[in-house]
Amino acid sequence: MQASYGGFDDYIWRFTGRHVIYETGMTTSPLSDAIAADLKTYGMRFIGTTIVYAYLQSIGVINAHEPGCFLHRER
């Protein structure tokens, strides 16, 4: 992965073109489905779309703050 993309950061952000995704009320998405499936091709076994979705939220790729939250942002 590092040889192909330069690092895990570049690998993850290539799926969105370095754009933050704004969505609410979800625990999985087509994005997390695609990343989970791709990670399995690299030999990762205990990985699924919900885990990937939560990770994407934690690193800021997905902004899922609900309306009313002080961190909620519109696109």
Side-chain angles (χ1 to χ4, degrees), residues 3 7 10 12 16 21 24 33 35-36 38 45 50 56 64-66 74:
D10 292 323
I12 290 292
T16 67
I21 306 298
T24 59
D33 293 344
I35 294 173
D38 196 56
R45 296 187 310 178
T50 304
L56 294 173
H65 294 280
E66 297 286 334
E74 295 294 330

Side-chain angles (χ1 to χ4, degrees), residues 51-67:
I51 292 170
V52 170
Y53 193 86
Y55 177 72
L56 294 173
Q57 286 179 305
S58 74
I59 64 170
V61 173
I62 294 176
N63 182 329
H65 294 280
E66 297 286 334

